[in-house]
Amino acid sequence: MPARIVGTGSCLPVRAVSNQELEKIMDTTDEWIRSRTGICKRHIAVEETTTSMAVEAAKKAMENAGTEAKELDLIIVGTVSGDMCFPSTACQVQAEIGAEHAIAFDINAACAGFLYGLAVADAYIKTGMAQTALIIGAETLSKMIDWKDRSTCVLFGDGAGAAVVKKDEVGIESLVQGADGAKGSVLNCHNRPVNNLFVKNSVELDFAHMNGQEVYKFAIRTVPEAVFKALDKAGTEPDNVNYFLLHQANIRIIESIAKKIGQPIEKFPTNLQKCGNISAGSVPVLLDNVNREGKLRRGDKIALAGFGAGLTWGAAVLTW
Ligand code: UT7
């Protein structure tokens, strides 16, 4: 039996930062950001952490699903910006919500993290290794971007989204993932360098670097291919899909993908205007927004897709 998403939740930091606010502190304009990306504002962590937002999103998803923490036997967090190197964000979430029967681990697949997590949870559930899973995408990228680099810092926002997944009659119908590590340098952030008794290196922390145009080309080529593959595996067609929920990096990327898939832009809900790019949090936050707006009806066909650093990508087709 397939795994089905039975509840969603999300959490954004309290502090919203508009393009106009950024205009006053760096060499950018609201016009540039909106016309090149569609983003109008983003939420930036002040009091919040990756873990605190993940916990908040998880609690909302469990409430939405009518699931108790004790029922969970698997917690997966997609993140590249955990608060600690170890323990994992997933283990910290487990402790906070009291999910004592769950195993817990993080996945680093950047903006495809939620799709990778969904695939792992689906495999655990299908093979009987888990019954009830919590999948979270949570990021505080604001601590990893260079606020002096206007070509990246205006794009990202912080936040977390979560979904509870359980075995059911209908649910996830197909999953597609991919990775191209050879192109990893187009979007990267170094960790601490080797620095020990035997070698001395600078311990200055690196920031995220992105070749925006290369990532753009990768996205508009790879995502439609992955979505078509997922539709094919599910034995369905674009016309049968009610909503395509894509990673929220750039409105022009979403418009281009909609065109390639041959579907009206109305089927591609967006929240990047209000949240910016939340990396692994992007797809689950959007899913929760659409769910809570009452747009999804049980039985609807949904396609999800994410792409990002790695390079990695993932797509899924499911019955809601
Ligand atoms: O989740 C990870 C996935 N990431 C993505 O999907 C990002 C994909 N890439 C993109 O979305 C776009 O490439 C960007 C939005 C990042 C950039 O848009 P672009 O149309 O590719 O702009 P560009 O990099 O070619 O830059 C055009 C100009 C440059 O000035 P010159 O050289 O033409 O004089 C930049 O210096 O825009 C300038 N620029 C800015 N100007 C004002 C770059 N950033 C800014 C800024 N404000 N914030």
Side-chain angles (χ1 to χ4, degrees), residues 26-29 32-33 36-37 110-111 141 149-156 187 210-219 247-253 277-279 307-309:
M26 65 182 71
D27 181 18
T28 191
T29 60
W32 190 95
I33 303 170
R36 299 281 177 141
T37 70
C111 311
L141 281 185
D149 175 7
R150 65 178 184 170
S151 70
T152 53
C153 73
V154 302
L155 306 174
F156 295 98
L187 180 47
M210 179 168 73
N211 180 333
Q213 291 187 1
E214 284 305 313
V215 178
Y216 192 103
K217 282 187 260 174
F218 149 72
H247 174 43
Q248 301 287 295
N250 187 320
I251 195 73
R252 293 186 291 136
I253 293 178
N277 178 347
I278 315 179
S279 186
F307 61 90

Side-chain angles (χ1 to χ4, degrees), residues 7 16 88 103 141 179 208 235 239 257 271 282 299:
S88 66
I103 62 161
L141 281 185
D239 283 351
I257 294 170
N271 64 7
S282 172

